Amino acid sequence: MNENESSNFDTFRDCLTTPLIQKSVEKPSPTKVRKNRILRNATERNTRATKLVEVKEAPNDIEELAEFIDYIASEIFTSLPETLRTLTYSAWYNSASLQSQYPEDFPKDKAHSILNSLPPNIEESLTTYNLLPPLKTLTEFLTPVLMEYVSKVTNAPPPASVTRELATECEICERSWVPLTYHHLIPREVHAKVLKRGWHTEDHLMDAAWICRACHSFVHKVATNEELAREYFTVERLLDREDVRSFAGWIGKVRWKAR
């Protein structure tokens, strides 16, 4: 998986985790049941023997459930269409085709058409672990999971007012004891040129980072607005510069004396 797909997998796994944990808690009280310890690695799955475990008493039950969720999420996610696995707000926002495929109110019939094509081993695995609710098909069980996933990956990023509340340290020097400022990763002065030349799409124009005043001033000292827009439009790209890393290392050790 590439970085974007890996991030989406984490989101999908989170969406799947809640209903699976809820179903596991509903399981009848303690009897010994036969389970397949299913691992993500295909070779290990084929060679690992079936193992008896105590549903409530085995000390590794939680670890085993987490292992299974990771496995089943991977099996389902990798069976989804590529456009769904790599879907992002930016791609969705700038593509009429993706908006048509995955509308804001993602309908159940579209989810059903995707989930009906999942391989049979997924239902078999959920049944083995007694995690498929009675009187529900696999498609019915997974439909709300898929709908939640689509909603999350197509949601617009939070506004600056929200991200400020979450920021606890400068994103460059990592100092947590200094005030933070709002740095437009694509400077406003060049927005018109950025759109005209196709460097970025409109939805990225307000991308920002919360950095301290010292780092903010240094960034604008070492690169022009146009260079920031074209080359250094993420914190990671800024930190790829040796001069920015050196400055961050130095300023990160500075603690101003109280007057």
Side-chain angles (χ1 to χ4, degrees):
M1 294 184 189
N2 58 35
E3 183 178 348
N4 177 55
E5 197 170 346
S6 179
S7 174
N8 280 7
F9 168 72
D10 291 342
T11 300
F12 181 81
R13 182 180 53 197
D14 289 345
C15 295
L16 181 62
T17 295
T18 299
L20 287 180
I21 289 179
Q22 288 174 344
K23 183 64 180 71
S24 71
V25 171
E26 293 170 3
K27 290 200 297 193
S29 67
T31 55
K32 288 188 177 182
V33 296
R34 188 173 296 271
K35 292 182 179 178
N36 291 324
R37 289 184 58 88
I38 306 173
L39 305 176
R40 289 181 64 183
N41 185 287
T43 303
E44 291 180 342
R45 288 204 307 274
N46 291 334
T47 58
R48 192 74 177 246
T50 300
K51 182 179 180 180
L52 287 174
V53 297
E54 290 277 352
V55 174
K56 296 290 185 180
E57 298 174 2
N60 65 339
D61 259 358
I62 294 176
E63 294 179 4
E64 185 172 1
L65 180 59
E67 181 183 84
F68 175 78
I69 290 174
D70 199 49
Y71 157 74
I72 202 68
S74 178
E75 290 292 294
I76 298 170
F77 186 77
T78 54
S79 300
L80 298 177
E82 182 180 1
T83 54
L84 191 51
R85 299 196 309 269
T86 58
L87 191 61
T88 63
Y89 170 73
S90 181
W92 180 87
Y93 180 88
N94 292 288
S95 170
S97 174
L98 287 176
Q99 290 179 32
S100 175
Q101 284 180 273
Y102 310 111
E104 289 187 66
D105 296 320
F106 191 57
K108 287 184 178 181
D109 61 330
K110 283 184 176 286
H112 289 176
S113 65
I114 293 170
L115 295 170
N116 283 336
S117 61
L118 292 178
N121 70 294
I122 292 171
E123 183 169 3
E124 293 168 2
S125 297
L126 286 168
T127 301
T128 298
Y129 265 75
N130 195 27
L131 291 173
L132 191 61
L135 307 179
K136 268 194 177 183
T137 65
L138 177 67
T139 295
E140 290 170 337
F141 176 62
L142 292 178
T143 291
V145 173
L146 187 61
M147 293 173 70
E148 181 184 3
Y149 165 76
V150 171
S151 174
K152 284 187 174 182
V153 296
T154 56
N155 271 350
S161 58
V162 174
T163 59
R164 176 62 187 91
E165 295 173 1
L166 300 175
T168 58
E169 60 184 23
C170 173
E171 294 183 52
I172 290 181
C173 70
E174 299 182 348
R175 290 186 297 169
S176 59
W177 59 90
V178 292
L180 301 179
T181 60
Y182 185 85
H183 169 58
H184 287 86
L185 290 165
I186 302 173
R188 289 173 294 180
E189 293 79 1
V190 293
H191 280 184
K193 181 182 285 189
V194 164
L195 293 177
K196 183 177 180 180
R197 300 195 178 180
W199 296 341
H200 302 284
T201 52
E202 185 178 358
D203 58 294
H204 282 294
L205 294 183
M206 298 307 294
D207 287 356
W210 286 100
I211 58 180
C212 68
R213 171 50 59 191
C215 288
H216 202 160
S217 298
F218 186 80
V219 163
H220 284 283
K221 179 181 178 181
V222 298
T224 65
N225 286 338
E226 186 170 316
E227 288 172 334
L228 290 172
R230 293 186 65 181
E231 303 293 337
Y232 306 111
F233 49 86
T234 67
V235 172
E236 291 74 21
R237 282 174 171 256
L238 285 169
L239 289 172
D240 280 342
R241 291 183 57 126
E242 185 177 353
D243 53 357
V244 173
R245 290 198 307 275
S246 296
F247 179 81
W250 172 76
I251 198 68
K253 300 173 183 177
V254 172
R255 285 182 176 269
W256 306 116
K257 294 181 180 179
R259 292 182 179 181

